[in-house]
Amino acid sequence: MATQQTRTLARFMMAPSVFLLLIWMIVPLAMTLWFSFQNYNLLNPANVSFAGLFNYQFFYTDPAFFQSIWNTLLIVVGVLLITVIGGTALALLLDQPMFGQGIVRILVISPFFVMPPVAALVWKNMIMHPGYGVFAGISKSLGFQPVDWFAQYPLFSIIIIVAWQWLPFATLILLTALQSLDGEQKEAAEMDGAGFVSRFIHLTIPHMSRAITVVILIQTIFLLGVYAEILVTTNGGPGYASTNLPFLIYRTALLGYDVGGASAGGIIAVILANIVAFFLMRAVGKNLDK
Amino acid sequence: MARAVSTQTKVGWTIAAWVIALLIFFPILYTIITSFKSETEAIAGFKLIPSGTLESYAEVQSQSNYFKFFMNSVVISVGSTILALLIAIPAAWSMAFSPTKRTKDILMWMLSTKMMPAVAVLVPMYLIFRDWGLLDSRIGLTVMLMLINLPIVVWMLYTYFREIPGEILEASRMDGATLWGEIVYVLTPMAIPGIASTMLLNIILAWNEAFWTIRLSTTNAAPLTAFIASFSSPQGLFWAKLSAASTLAIAPILIMGWFSQKQLVRGLTFGAVK
């Protein structure tokens, strides 16, 4: 069926996408790599010189660097724990017979469609605010001292906000996977006398394992880059308590005008993301073969 | 599947699910409620029934020219999606209908471009935008978001196109249809639902993109993400105004999102979960 002509046509049809993505992949990254070996400060742009590994050394010896890597990992792991466990529980709940299931579903997935700055500001001002927030109101009515969330637990507060945004995503995907579970299999297991727990362990979990893998990997890609939530709530503080790697790079680049240093950080971020990407590509690639 | 469920059990699940769903939805609900309060009311303590005043909405528009930010969001998200579709449809089409040995590798490679952390290229993109005069321009942001979402668009379209049975083409060819007739009368009607879903999901993603839109715009091209982020400054103390601006910013996307639940799963998992 594929004649020479159609093959040429196919190549021609793919060319714009491939060309654009090729440029998008190579040019900025090559520039970042190049800048990472330069002494280049935007405040003194005439004075650019070769820096060798200085920028990497600078980033590496900056105490904020390890803290930001640690914070990046804490955000990723914390949000994953909450969303995967919570998402599984919610998916199981939403799969039960009930009235108004459609509306419940809509309510649960809504946070995913809220843009990050709105989500973060609403939580910051109206839910977690130590003076007027809903949490503070609850604490006061129970006779406790209200918690100043962003001052006392800055990173944890950000994890909660981000988890709120991603819980719907995990729930929706796990629910989709759950609903594709064969009803007959479930019934057969039930007839064989398998209880809820044993059905869950031996039937549901294996069936959902792939969806869970996909959720973890995709969320990790996005969670490594959490930015707006930090910008509008804590601005990385107090100190560096809630600065993750993206935020540190932003700070170095656009607030410190240090192009070289920020680029070195960018390369480190690429390496981190690549480790995750490797596993995601394998999971998605396997599916393509089916 | 049709198991008899006692009404009692069903009521039990219903109550549990509704309570949890409302808790999850609460921050959004409370934002909407607060948007109908006055500023003094907003900080007066927890109250679920607002006075119903529209003054916050009026103030958001009169003080900040809200409509301009809103239009920037519309232009950038819809524009970048249409641009991405124009570029992606031919590619996805050819990959789905005349795949080669390399099709899978190309798809995987496209996906891999999505893994690049945005901050890693913040510096070069910022400098390129600055040197080319694209900072704070709608065109710049439109192109930027098109590039970011292009891999997802190609992937989604590919998974939809792949489901169009190839035999139908052969059948129509037997019936004497020309290539053009094939495309117009046979393939296009079957492809449109997939294209529409892809469009919907990508407008949502572009609308909510909050890294490049905030960093590469200041005033003229600033979409709603950047506008709302500006409330983190002392202005943020005006809660009713913030709520009104937020409600307007999320309402259109929330409604579109409700219609795109299925596509969302498929698009964001690159077809791995359906």
Side-chain angles (χ1 to χ4, degrees), chain B residues 64-144:
Chain B
S64 60
N65 201 2
Y66 178 89
F67 191 66
K68 189 186 82 182
F69 299 102
F70 185 86
M71 279 320 288
N72 282 338
S73 270
V74 171
V75 169
I76 292 165
S77 60
V78 175
S80 67
T81 302
I82 290 175
L83 203 57
L85 280 174
L86 288 179
I87 296 165
I89 287 175
W93 190 281
S94 74
M95 284 194 265
F97 293 117
S98 45
T100 63
K101 274 175 289 177
R102 264 170 295 154
T103 300
K104 188 189 155 189
D105 294 334
I106 294 176
L107 275 169
M108 296 310 285
W109 164 73
M110 284 183 169
L111 182 56
S112 75
T113 64
K114 190 74 194 139
M115 316 285 165
M116 183 166 58
V119 277
V121 293
L122 170 65
V123 172
M125 288 319 287
Y126 186 82
L127 295 178
I128 290 173
F129 267 59
R130 188 196 61 186
D131 294 346
W132 290 6
L134 289 173
L135 277 182
D136 201 21
S137 76
R138 286 172 172 183
I139 295 177
L141 283 178
T142 304
V143 171
M144 192 70 215

Side-chain angles (χ1 to χ4, degrees), chain A residues 82-101:
Chain A
I82 298 173
T83 54
V84 171
I85 295 173
T88 310
L90 263 172
L92 284 171
L93 176 64
L94 291 185
D95 198 33
Q96 302 303 322
M98 69 180 70
F99 299 104
Q101 197 163 27

Side-chain angles (χ1 to χ4, degrees), chain B residues 202-236:
Chain B
N202 272 275
I203 290 175
I204 295 174
L205 290 179
W207 186 278
N208 287 343
E209 203 286 329
F211 180 74
W212 295 110
T213 50
I214 292 177
R215 285 279 62 91
L216 298 179
S217 72
T218 43
T219 48
N220 292 328
L224 289 168
T225 43
F227 172 62
I228 303 282
S230 71
F231 272 89
S232 60
S233 57
Q235 257 195 82

Side-chain angles (χ1 to χ4, degrees), chain A:
Chain A
M1 186 168 138
T3 61
Q4 186 61 44
Q5 198 193 350
T6 56
R7 238 176 286 152
T8 314
L9 182 67
R11 235 173 254 159
F12 184 70
M13 285 162 84
M14 271 166 46
S17 299
V18 171
F19 179 71
L20 275 173
L21 285 175
L22 205 60
I23 292 183
W24 168 233
M25 184 179 81
I26 292 172
V27 175
L29 204 55
M31 285 173 78
T32 303
L33 195 60
W34 169 254
F35 288 143
S36 74
F37 295 111
Q38 306 286 319
N39 287 313
Y40 183 6
N41 194 301
L42 285 176
L43 291 179
N44 192 1
N47 208 347
V48 180
S49 62
F50 183 69
L53 289 173
F54 173 76
N55 288 322
Y56 290 92
Q57 201 188 346
F58 168 76
F59 228 82
Y60 186 77
T61 50
D62 186 353
F65 173 66
F66 283 106
Q67 184 163 16
S68 74
I69 296 255
W70 178 239
N71 288 344
T72 309
L73 294 177
L74 279 181
I75 291 176
V76 172
V77 174
V79 174
L80 280 179
L81 275 178
I82 298 173
T83 54
V84 171
I85 295 173
T88 310
L90 263 172
L92 284 171
L93 176 64
L94 291 185
D95 198 33
Q96 302 303 322
M98 69 180 70
F99 299 104
Q101 197 163 27
I103 300 173
V104 168
R105 233 177 113 123
I106 281 177
L107 293 180
V108 170
I109 64 160
S110 292
F112 187 70
F113 301 115
V114 175
M115 56 175 69
V118 169
L121 280 178
V122 165
W123 276 85
K124 178 192 181 187
N125 287 336
M126 296 193 295
I127 312 285
M128 290 172 156
H129 194 282
Y132 310 109
V134 173
F135 282 177
I138 296 172
S139 303
K140 275 185 216 152
S141 70
L142 294 175
F144 294 110
Q145 191 66 28
V147 177
D148 189 352
W149 290 90
F150 290 101
Q152 291 173 18
Y153 312 102
L155 197 64
F156 180 66
S157 306
I158 285 166
I159 288 176
I160 290 187
I161 296 172
V162 178
W164 178 74
Q165 288 179 281
W166 283 95
L167 182 64
F169 173 78
T171 306
L172 191 60
I173 287 184
L174 296 176
L175 181 62
T176 310
L178 198 58
Q179 284 172 340
S180 71
L181 180 60
D182 196 356
E184 277 174 28
Q185 265 188 14
K186 255 194 278 183
E187 262 172 67
E190 236 168 295
M191 274 192 225
D192 287 346
F196 176 79
V197 174
S198 111
R199 261 184 294 150
F200 181 71
I201 291 173
H202 297 292
L203 198 63
T204 315
I205 292 276
H207 177 77
M208 303 231 290
S209 63
R210 222 176 67 145
I212 292 176
T213 315
V214 171
V215 166
I216 290 174
L217 293 169
I218 289 172
Q219 283 200 28
T220 306
I221 295 291
F222 283 96
L223 296 177
L224 281 172
V226 167
Y227 171 76
E229 292 86 346
I230 298 174
L231 179 73
V232 301
T233 55
T234 62
N235 215 351
Y240 287 98
S242 59
T243 298
N244 65 354
L245 190 55
F247 206 78
L248 183 64
I249 294 169
Y250 148 75
R251 231 157 132 153
T252 315
L254 298 186
L255 300 182
Y257 301 103
D258 181 3
V259 168
S263 297
I267 295 299
I268 294 166
V270 170
I271 294 169
L272 257 184
N274 265 295
I275 297 170
V276 182
F278 174 73
F279 291 105
L280 174 61
M281 305 287 277
R282 275 185 32 180
V284 177
K286 252 184 216 150
N287 180 59
L288 261 189
D289 294 330
K290 281 215 310 199

